[in-house]
Amino acid sequence: MKFVYLSACSAALLAGASPALADVSAAELWAQWQENYATTGQTLTADVEETSDGLILRNFTAVLGQATGDTTTQLSEIALVETGDGSVRIAPAAPVRLTSVITDGDDELGTMEFLITFTDLNAVASGEIGNIAYDVSAAEIRMVDGEAVSFGDEAPDLNLDIRLLDTAMTYTLEGSTAEDSVVSLHAVFAQQ
């Protein structure tokens, strides 16, 4: 079974940018991520380590709470590396782990897990706060299903395997605050 699915959250995490219009630092980018996630009702946490050329975000976790359950995005590490030309290279460690807990009121029905991996990922962010441009390219971005538990007597067998080949994606975020931000996304890819 094949699906075409692209999580906006995951796309943002994997995004990068065109040549810099102005300077943005790793710390500014991390602060903007926190503000934007909070505005969408998500809780964003990480163990932040300052380096000589940016930040390392370890144990990165984003939790989106919904009436039907929580969805958690986890990465062991994301490096935000200032390149010296006013842009920031975004280097996430694979896999990106998406875990959805499905509930019905107070009853937990089950848990589904999805794993995203990538090959030859190139991701950079540039511009300035209020006008950040992201761009991403990868030889392959792949999503597969992981564990599925509970769901009554039988766990669902999804057999999910999505592969986006030769991906080129442009993601821009315009606006001085998360509330008035405008997001545009343009992606070109081949599906296998």
Side-chain angles (χ1 to χ4, degrees):
M1 182 182 248
K2 292 187 178 180
F3 300 82
V4 176
Y5 170 85
L6 185 59
S7 161
C9 173
S10 299
L13 289 176
L14 299 178
S18 341
L21 303 172
D23 290 350
V24 64
S25 70
E28 288 174 329
L29 199 61
W30 170 232
Q32 186 185 54
W33 285 4
Q34 293 175 84
E35 179 186 351
N36 289 344
Y37 275 68
T39 300
T40 60
Q42 298 182 71
T43 303
L44 185 63
T45 59
D47 300 322
V48 181
E49 176 187 335
E50 292 187 20
T51 66
S52 60
D53 56 2
L55 299 175
I56 296 177
L57 311 176
R58 290 194 172 89
N59 303 314
F60 179 99
T61 303
V63 180
L64 175 62
Q66 297 175 304
T68 55
D70 294 346
T71 298
T72 302
T73 303
Q74 294 175 299
L75 294 91
S76 61
E77 180 177 300
I78 303 174
L80 302 179
V81 182
E82 295 170 359
T83 61
D85 65 356
S87 61
V88 176
R89 183 166 52 88
I90 303 167
V96 178
R97 188 178 305 273
L98 302 176
T99 306
S100 291
V101 178
I102 312 300
T103 59
D104 181 10
D106 293 332
D107 298 327
E108 183 175 315
L109 303 180
T111 301
M112 293 189 299
E113 178 183 70
F114 304 94
L115 304 175
I116 301 172
T117 58
F118 27 84
T119 303
D120 297 332
L121 178 71
N122 181 38
V124 180
S126 67
E128 58 187 348
I129 299 304
N131 187 16
I132 294 290
Y134 294 88
D135 203 4
V136 62
S137 64
E140 178 183 89
I141 299 175
R142 184 179 186 184
M143 176 185 279
V144 298
D145 55 307
E147 276 191 76
V149 297
S150 193
F151 293 96
D153 297 332
E154 188 176 326
D157 185 12
L158 299 177
N159 292 321
L160 181 72
D161 191 348
I162 299 169
R163 298 183 187 189
L164 305 181
L165 306 178
D166 301 324
T167 300
M169 187 185 317
T170 300
Y171 173 92
T172 58
L173 181 63
E174 298 179 59
S176 56
T177 67
E179 287 83 358
D180 65 8
S181 292
V182 176
V183 175
S184 60
L185 174 67
H186 174 73
V188 177
F189 57 85
Q191 179 188 2
Q192 179 177 342

